[in-house]
Amino acid sequence: MAPRTDMLVDADLAQRVLSRALRSGGDFAEIFVEDRRSSGAVLDDGRVEELASARDRGAGIRVLAGDTTGFAHTADLSEQGLLSAAEAAASVAGGGASGAVSLGDPGRAVAASVGRPGDSVPKEEKISLLTRADAAARASGAAVVQVSVSYGDSRRRFLVANSDGVLVTEDQVRTRMAVSVVAAGDTGRQSGSESVAATAGFELFDTVDVDALATTAARRALAKLSARPAPSGTVPVVLAAGSGGILFHEACGHGLEADHVVKDTSVYRGRIGEQVAGSLVTLVDDGQVESQWGTFLVDDEGHPASRNVLIDHGVLVDYLWDAKRARKQGRSSSGNGRRQSYRHLPMVRMTNTFLVDGADDPDEIVAQTPYGVYVAKLGGGQVNTTTGDFVFGTTEAYLIEDGHLTEPLRDANLIGNGPEILTRIDAVAGDFAMTPGTCGKDGQNVPVGCGQPTVRISAVTVGGTAGG
Amino acid sequence: MADRPTSGDGDLAALARSLSEQARRGEQVEVYAARSVHTDVRAYDGEVESVSQAASAGVGVRVVIGGRQGFASAGSLDAVMVADTLADARENAAFATPDEHGGLPAPDGVEGASLDLWDESVLVTPVEAKIELALALERRVRGAGSRIRQVSSADYGDVAWESAVASSTGVLSASRRTSCTLAVSAVAGSGADSHTGVGISAGRGVAHLDLEAAADDAVLRATRLLGAGKGRSTRCTVVLDPRVTATLLGVLGGALSGESVTKNRSMLADRVGERVAATSVTLADDPTDQRAFTAARFDAEGLACRRNELVVGGVLRGFVHDTVSARRAATVSTGSAVRGGYGTTPVAGCRALSLAPGTLSPEEVLESVGDGLYVQSVTGVHSGVSSVSGDFSVGAEGAWIHGGALAAPVREMTVASTLQRMLHDIVFVGADVRWLPGPATGLTLAIADMAVSGQ
């Protein structure tokens, strides 16, 4: 039994709230209580502009009655506040069975060992990171005209209890830093950025080279000053390791989320067991990868994070599940029920999604590409799960000519179709790397990891302006 | 402390003022307090998928001591948390670099526009009636014919929102507004020939919603794409749907922000007085226009919002500023501080951008263009468009324009240019002003000579 000080609300109170939520019917009730503290600092235009701190705490309560979900949230954690939120959430449930709720022993997710949570680190130490990065970026070239560096840390504790008897607490510590650089020259202004983010404390910076982070951001901006427009048309594309597993996140990850599948808005619906990708493709979603940005111990519905193989050597194995969709299918959640905060309903989300290593040599992949685009870094992306059409933007890219990287290219979006692209992956190297990202879905943002080794896609449409 | 918006009896303003009055000697304190109640309903397959009803409230505090700014926020109006927030902001200020341009605004004498942004119907309409709107929306799209395979979501949402800004430098303002929205996503076709279309309707009150228009627009957008394939790569004139134009203006707004301009992050910096666009382009940011969904009496620092002319006849006239960016640019605030909520600090930004409409209907724009590409929706704007460099590359779907009318549909295309060139290449501005949720209005816009990539 965990000591009471670890609980955001007492187990007895959680039990009373759940019983109230089911008093007028309903099949399932859940209370999610969250306390988040975060702090951040921004250095911009040569000045530490602002330190900020934020505190947010409250509870979200949901009731499932048949296919309908009732939801209410409150910042009032008193018994009265929670009970009235329970009644608001329950207002959609009418009739049906109801009964007393009995919670199990509180399972406590053992917090990953966090060396130095952000709130234990002197602010001077955080600021010195910012000034160091600023100096390194500005020293990268006379054309650097602006540098912005941001640091942020958060500690998110939550308790989730439900009428199935689940009672669990979780404690997540995250730390991030980003550098953004503007360079200016005769050709105008260009920007470059680089970031690091982990489910870890300030000890992250024991292994992260802040100077390298800054010079990488500066290099991206500087290189593009002399960049030529990207090609317009369909060409082979080589993605550098860790440049952006976002391709796989967008091209197939979202389409494998059970809510899209159940609603028939996924191109992967009804295709379990089919060859949906080339045999070089094995895609995994794994919420347990140590200290990655999308990592946690239990998801926001109280289910343990797990490693889920989605595509195995090209064959579609499974989708991603949250509690609501899993319940309906009579199976268990895959640990992918996540929410931005207590103010949001949980839904099916990715954690760390990545393509596993192949056997090719990354240099050879480039050497064997007569003409194409080499993407050293991707920006964001977006997908329409119904059609599978997705885009992703480059933020550092080079032209490949006769097997060599030649000129830098200006930023452009690449567009493709998920199921088609997966069959066009014709080389996968063994140099896996991951990058952090923020995934937006239905208005909610959650931290995710993306990863891939160097891969080549035989044909992708590049949205540049230069004649293909 | 009640979390429910009242009829605006000023208790939020009183809370903000009393906290700001705790400023110590040598300190400036600004308190932004906000609260809202909202209802969100989603219908699916003839049933209610979810109903959310909740109240939110919070406070954001800026403290400036000797040009050093600190900020803290809390998602609550609880007295203890609010007091802690002031203490945290004060502590944070000690670590900032002094900024000669820093500090809070004093009242500038500009009166807030007289606007009616509050519609009681959002608060008094029973949730059952809101649920019925979502169900009726879903029903109408589902019943639109066999080409509609699925209605992936049909949503009703509303919010009643109040805020107040008070500062130790004498600013005191209170604002409130309501809004409600219907949004529906239709799926037409089957297998590889599946397409989505989203229809929306928004208003200040329930009676302003046009359910039929939202439903029919979703159906039109999804079915128009049936049979779409990837088109050939070419250069041609591109006609933007009003919603796409609004997205484009939103990006342009980033380059017109005094924050971007004074920090070397805007492709339009140093270009005031120059011709930056075709002569048909006149652009203003006007939150005092009652018709704009983002209309507001006061900005995020509590100064009156005002109409700001940004581009007139293709010539860049100026930028939007908050207090700090204005001081950096040796000018005065244009009442254009915006903020994402109580959790973020104010920054200069556009709130209600609109292009002066031309004289052509959408059909006349197509006729005038003759041949080109009609873009119904775009993707990848956050990854492919930069207001720093002006580089522009987005995913697009829509239809070819042949002989002045829409012809074969296309998908999985990109359109690219630079924002600088696009502004000069605007050839027709439509007369069809569409007031949309978001910081810009839409109209049909034709831009010449864009690179279109496909096969």
Side-chain angles (χ1 to χ4, degrees):
Chain A
M1 179 79 73
R4 197 183 138 152
T5 48
D6 279 329
M7 306 287 281
L8 292 159
V9 300
D10 246 32
D12 290 348
L13 175 54
Q15 198 157 308
R16 285 196 296 280
V17 170
L18 292 173
S19 297
R20 178 68 64 93
L22 291 178
R23 194 169 63 174
S24 55
D27 308 313
F28 173 85
E30 173 195 74
I31 175 171
F32 177 86
V33 188
E34 181 184 45
D35 186 336
R36 184 196 300 259
R37 288 166 190 266
S38 55
S39 82
V42 176
L43 183 153
D44 194 10
D45 204 22
R47 280 187 301 271
V48 178
E49 279 207 330
E50 178 178 289
L51 271 79
S53 41
R55 173 93 190 266
D56 206 8
R57 67 168 186 212
I61 295 169
R62 68 171 165 157
V63 173
L64 301 187
D67 288 334
T68 301
T69 300
F71 181 67
H73 62 78
T74 179
D76 180 356
L77 297 184
S78 70
E79 175 147 6
Q80 191 193 349
L82 293 171
L83 290 174
S84 67
E87 282 170 10
S91 64
V92 297
S98 66
V101 172
S102 144
L103 296 176
D105 278 346
R108 180 166 184 274
V110 180
S113 61
V114 174
R116 302 180 68 197
D119 54 7
S120 73
V121 177
K123 289 179 179 172
E124 290 85 349
E125 212 173 322
K126 299 176 184 175
I127 288 168
S128 75
L129 282 182
L130 303 184
T131 51
R132 203 170 116 200
D134 181 59
R138 288 182 188 274
S140 297
V144 170
V145 296
Q146 193 53 277
V147 178
S148 168
V149 192
S150 66
Y151 162 89
D153 58 52
S154 69
R155 180 167 188 181
R156 178 186 187 229
R157 294 191 304 138
F158 68 75
L159 171 149
V160 55
N162 68 37
S163 56
D164 291 342
V166 167
L167 173 62
V168 66
T169 62
E170 162 75 308
D171 189 348
Q172 297 169 355
V173 171
R174 289 193 168 88
T175 303
R176 63 177 173 80
M177 182 172 174
V179 184
S180 163
V181 173
V182 178
D186 297 342
T187 54
R189 291 173 175 78
Q190 288 289 344
S191 57
S193 62
E194 177 64 339
S195 62
V196 60
T199 302
F202 202 77
E203 74 279 6
L204 172 65
F205 298 103
D206 295 345
T207 52
V208 167
D209 181 346
V210 168
D211 292 343
L213 198 72
T215 52
T216 300
R219 182 191 74 219
R220 292 188 175 132
L222 292 165
K224 280 185 283 189
L225 286 180
S226 56
R228 51 180 277 181
S232 165
T234 300
V235 300
V237 168
V238 177
L239 297 176
S243 65
I246 186 147
L247 168 71
F248 300 96
H249 177 104
E250 301 295 348
C252 46
H254 279 298
L256 299 177
E257 294 165 341
D259 47 353
H260 291 303
V261 175
V262 169
K263 282 191 167 184
D264 194 12
T265 54
S266 167
V267 284
Y268 296 103
R269 177 185 167 102
R271 302 193 62 192
I272 295 287
E274 286 182 28
Q275 191 85 30
V276 298
S279 61
L280 297 174
V281 174
T282 292
L283 187 77
V284 172
D285 182 86
D286 186 350
Q288 300 177 318
V289 189
E290 189 182 352
S291 74
Q292 286 298 332
W293 193 227
T295 295
F296 48 79
L297 290 163
V298 293
D299 73 2
D300 302 334
E301 299 180 309
H303 294 273
S306 63
R307 176 184 164 91
N308 299 293
V309 176
L310 303 173
I311 297 174
D312 188 3
H313 293 91
V315 176
L316 183 59
V317 176
D318 200 0
Y319 305 119
L320 296 167
W321 301 87
D322 66 358
K324 178 178 172 177
R325 302 295 173 188
R327 193 180 179 85
K328 181 133 193 196
Q329 300 293 314
R331 55 165 290 159
S332 60
S333 163
S334 58
N336 290 88
R338 305 182 67 188
R339 55 180 122 204
Q340 182 176 316
S341 79
Y342 76 86
R343 294 190 175 87
H344 300 87
L345 272 169
M347 59 181 154
V348 190
R349 303 301 294 260
M350 284 175 262
T351 62
N352 305 296
T353 311
F354 50 87
L355 187 77
V356 303
D357 269 343
D360 294 310
D361 178 82
D363 297 333
E364 272 302 299
I365 292 175
V366 174
Q368 289 171 8
T369 306
Y371 179 81
V373 168
Y374 181 85
V375 178
K377 182 70 182 172
L378 287 175
Q382 190 178 347
V383 66
N384 179 334
T385 58
T386 303
T387 61
D389 290 351
F390 67 92
V391 293
F392 53 92
T394 66
T395 61
E396 184 182 11
Y398 301 87
L399 199 62
I400 304 174
E401 292 172 299
D402 299 327
H404 297 283
L405 304 192
T406 55
E407 294 180 78
L409 298 172
R410 295 179 71 142
D411 293 349
N413 258 318
L414 279 62
I415 192 163
N417 179 266
E420 280 173 24
I421 290 287
L422 288 183
T423 62
R424 291 183 190 160
I425 292 171
D426 62 3
V428 178
D431 55 348
F432 179 83
M434 285 198 73
T435 44
T438 299
C439 173
K441 178 177 173 184
D442 219 0
Q444 293 192 44
N445 292 325
V446 296
V448 295
C450 295
Q452 32 75 236
T454 297
V455 297
R456 182 174 61 200
I457 307 162
S458 60
V460 181
T461 300
V462 180
T465 56
Chain B
M1 180 73 51
D3 278 349
R4 175 164 287 271
T6 59
S7 50
D9 58 4
D11 61 331
L12 264 189
L15 179 147
R17 181 150 79 175
S18 85
L19 195 63
S20 72
E21 282 169 352
Q22 293 179 33
R24 295 172 184 162
R25 197 181 173 84
E27 270 183 5
Q28 294 182 339
V29 173
E30 173 196 78
V31 180
Y32 173 92
R35 74 180 151 207
S36 58
V37 289
H38 28 109
T39 303
D40 294 285
V41 182
R42 172 163 287 185
Y44 175 71
D45 201 19
E47 306 280 339
V48 182
E49 180 178 321
S50 62
V51 179
S52 300
Q53 293 172 273
S56 291
V59 64
V61 179
R62 284 201 287 171
V63 173
V64 185
I65 309 168
R68 301 167 189 265
Q69 176 171 305
F71 178 72
S73 66
S76 170
L77 296 181
D78 171 83
V80 175
M81 279 177 77
V82 166
D84 284 350
T85 304
L86 174 60
D88 286 348
R90 193 171 265 151
E91 185 192 323
N92 285 335
F95 294 91
T97 311
D99 181 353
E100 58 179 316
H101 303 300
L104 304 176
D108 64 358
V110 178
E111 287 284 319
S114 175
L115 297 173
D116 182 12
L117 308 176
W118 186 264
D119 188 320
E120 203 71 19
S121 69
V122 164
L123 290 176
V124 302
T125 302
V127 69
E128 292 74 17
K130 297 174 180 179
I131 289 171
E132 181 47 36
L133 277 172
L135 289 170
L137 180 66
E138 199 266 348
R139 238 180 355 251
R140 184 172 173 100
V141 174
R142 201 155 32 93
S146 59
R147 293 182 303 170
I148 298 298
R149 175 183 101 218
Q150 181 67 276
V151 185
S152 49
S153 62
D155 296 340
Y156 167 88
D158 65 37
V159 60
W161 177 91
E162 282 186 288
S163 72
V165 181
S167 76
S168 62
T169 52
V171 169
L172 180 64
S173 75
S175 307
R176 59 178 194 152
R177 63 176 162 76
T178 55
S179 70
C180 51
T181 314
L182 288 172
V184 61
S185 177
V187 182
S190 62
D193 191 26
S194 291
H195 304 279
T196 53
V198 174
I200 47 177
S201 173
R204 298 218 177 278
V206 179
H208 300 132
L209 294 173
D210 190 338
L211 187 146
E212 290 75 19
D216 298 351
D217 197 29
V219 171
L220 170 67
R221 285 168 181 269
T223 54
R224 183 193 271 159
L225 293 169
L226 284 169
K230 195 165 188 158
R232 67 183 192 284
S233 299
T234 183
R235 292 191 83 87
C236 64
T237 299
V238 170
V239 176
L240 306 181
D241 177 272
R243 277 198 232 158
V244 178
T245 302
T247 301
L248 173 66
L249 292 183
V251 174
L252 199 57
L256 291 162
S257 154
E259 167 78 8
S260 312
V261 169
T262 58
K263 287 186 174 171
N264 251 319
R265 286 200 187 92
S266 168
M267 58 161 201
L268 294 172
D270 314 320
R271 304 209 50 200
V272 172
E274 292 179 30
R275 164 70 55 78
V276 298
T279 54
S280 60
V281 175
T282 288
L283 181 68
D285 184 48
D286 189 4
T288 69
D289 190 323
Q290 170 99 33
R291 296 170 296 175
F293 287 108
T294 46
R297 294 186 70 207
F298 298 104
D299 81 349
E301 295 184 308
L303 299 182
C305 289
R306 53 210 82 172
R307 178 181 172 89
N308 292 299
E309 303 278 351
L310 300 169
V311 177
V312 177
V315 175
L316 181 63
R317 286 289 180 80
F319 305 108
V320 295
H321 284 290
D322 67 359
T323 300
V324 171
S325 78
R327 287 183 188 142
R328 264 191 224 120
T331 178
V332 294
S333 171
T334 59
S336 304
V338 296
R339 62 199 297 167
Y342 56 80
T344 60
T345 50
V347 63
C350 295
R351 206 182 269 270
L353 274 174
S354 54
L355 281 169
T359 56
L360 302 180
S361 69
E363 295 73 21
E364 289 166 336
V365 170
L366 295 180
E367 282 165 25
S368 306
V369 165
D371 293 297
L373 179 71
Y374 181 77
V375 175
Q376 170 174 304
S377 67
V378 291
T379 54
V381 173
H382 63 302
S383 58
V385 184
S386 166
S387 61
V388 176
S389 66
D391 287 341
F392 182 96
S393 169
V394 296
E397 55 186 19
W400 292 116
I401 305 165
H402 280 314
L406 295 186
V410 290
R411 54 171 264 260
E412 206 190 329
M413 307 286 284
T414 63
V415 294
S417 181
T418 64
L419 289 168
Q420 293 94 325
R421 283 200 55 182
M422 288 162 71
L423 288 171
H424 284 290
D425 288 342
I426 290 173
V427 284
F428 301 107
V429 180
D432 54 331
V433 176
R434 287 279 309 275
W435 300 93
L436 300 165
T441 55
L443 44 68
T444 300
L445 194 66
I447 302 175
D449 197 31
M450 293 194 74
V452 174
S453 302
Q455 282 176 343

